[in-house]
Amino acid sequence: MTVPSTGVSIRRATPADIDPLVSVLVDAFFDGPVADWLVPDHDDRRAVYRRYFTLVLRHGLAHGHVDTTTDRSAVAIWYARPEPPPAAPPEHQAAVEAATGPYAPKFTLLEAMFDVFHPGEPHHYLAYVAVSPDEQRRGVGTALLDSYHRRLDALGLPAYLEASNMRNRRLYLRLGYRAGPPLILPISGPTIWRMWRGPAGAAGTAAFPDTEQRPRRRTQPTAASSSVRIGR
């Protein structure tokens, strides 16, 4: 589909898109407070991120919904969350450790914190959105998200995400998200902004859900349960 206001053409991603879209994810997330916290060594970061985001994207294609543009300059990875997912299986932890090596403790800690403070209300979760640096600030990311937001609005469902810097936080506020209580990562980590977009008709007024009262996780893991992500 083409978003009329921008002319950006959007389609569902396939396994044939993995290599170029992994490059987009690596380039888009390479700099920033979360990247500096996760992998302080720039010499290691690109290789670690390429392995990690290959894992991320393959998981999204298998268990979520991945959108891209026709020129493959942007990608958004979504997951439906009708209920809290079960705990991640041991295979997930092993895969993260294999991908991230000595940096695995922080990746694991980040995922654990995101899980603990994830809303329990039914919603769709934007795990990642990335735009190639050459295409940023041209409305590509907004078009990609607007396309999926229209789908959610038609279903009457909210959306949730985590933002890792104030610039992205401001963008999501313009797209109808409300900021919730932030997370501050330990070990001198950055601030993560948790954000919630209410269903159609309530986007600007829906209160941020109470994560402290969310339903407990189911205890039986499934292969589709693990969501690998880092903050934007």
Side-chain angles (χ1 to χ4, degrees):
M1 66 167 294
T2 300
V3 179
S5 60
T6 63
V8 176
S9 295
I10 296 166
R11 63 172 174 82
R12 187 121 180 217
T14 72
D17 300 312
I18 288 176
D19 285 347
L21 294 185
V22 166
S23 295
V24 170
L25 286 159
V26 171
D27 290 344
F29 286 102
F30 191 81
D31 295 311
V34 173
D36 292 339
W37 181 77
L38 282 171
V39 187
D41 189 332
H42 277 223
D43 292 337
D44 288 349
R45 187 179 299 170
R46 189 165 296 277
V48 170
Y49 267 24
R50 179 158 288 280
R51 293 192 298 268
Y52 184 75
F53 279 118
T54 298
L55 178 66
V56 163
L57 188 55
R58 289 187 183 280
H59 187 277
L61 289 168
H63 304 298
H65 180 105
V66 182
D67 280 335
T68 186
T69 53
T70 54
D71 62 359
R72 299 193 288 197
S73 65
V75 59
I77 303 175
W78 291 88
Y79 292 95
R81 289 287 182 257
E83 60 182 8
E91 293 81 3
H92 168 67
Q93 180 62 32
V96 171
E97 290 183 2
T100 61
Y103 303 102
K106 283 187 177 179
F107 280 85
T108 300
L109 175 60
L110 184 64
E111 290 190 8
M113 290 190 67
F114 282 178
D115 284 344
V116 167
F117 292 98
H118 203 95
E121 293 184 23
H123 64 280
H124 281 218
Y125 173 50
L126 178 60
Y128 305 90
V129 58
V131 179
S132 173
D134 292 341
E135 297 296 326
Q136 290 178 8
R137 301 180 185 274
R138 298 183 180 182
V140 177
T142 297
L144 200 61
L145 297 186
D146 281 345
S147 172
Y148 200 88
H149 288 157
R150 285 194 292 273
R151 182 179 307 156
L152 293 183
D153 290 346
L155 296 172
L157 289 172
Y160 172 76
L161 59 82
E162 296 106 358
S164 64
N165 61 59
M166 290 299 292
R167 179 175 66 84
N168 289 344
R169 182 180 182 273
R170 289 191 292 269
L171 168 64
Y172 297 131
L173 288 172
R174 292 197 298 272
L175 294 178
Y177 285 82
R178 175 183 289 268
L183 299 177
I184 300 177
L185 299 178
I187 321 175
S188 302
T191 299
I192 301 293
W193 303 97
R194 300 155 62 230
M195 308 195 74
W196 181 263
R197 181 182 185 273
T205 59
F208 193 90
D210 184 357
T211 54
E212 298 301 321
Q213 301 300 319
R214 70 189 182 100
R216 295 178 60 86
R217 280 176 174 269
R218 292 175 288 142
T219 57
Q220 295 299 317
T222 67
S225 68
S226 61
S227 177
V228 287
R229 68 247 179 209
I230 64 175
R232 282 152 299 282

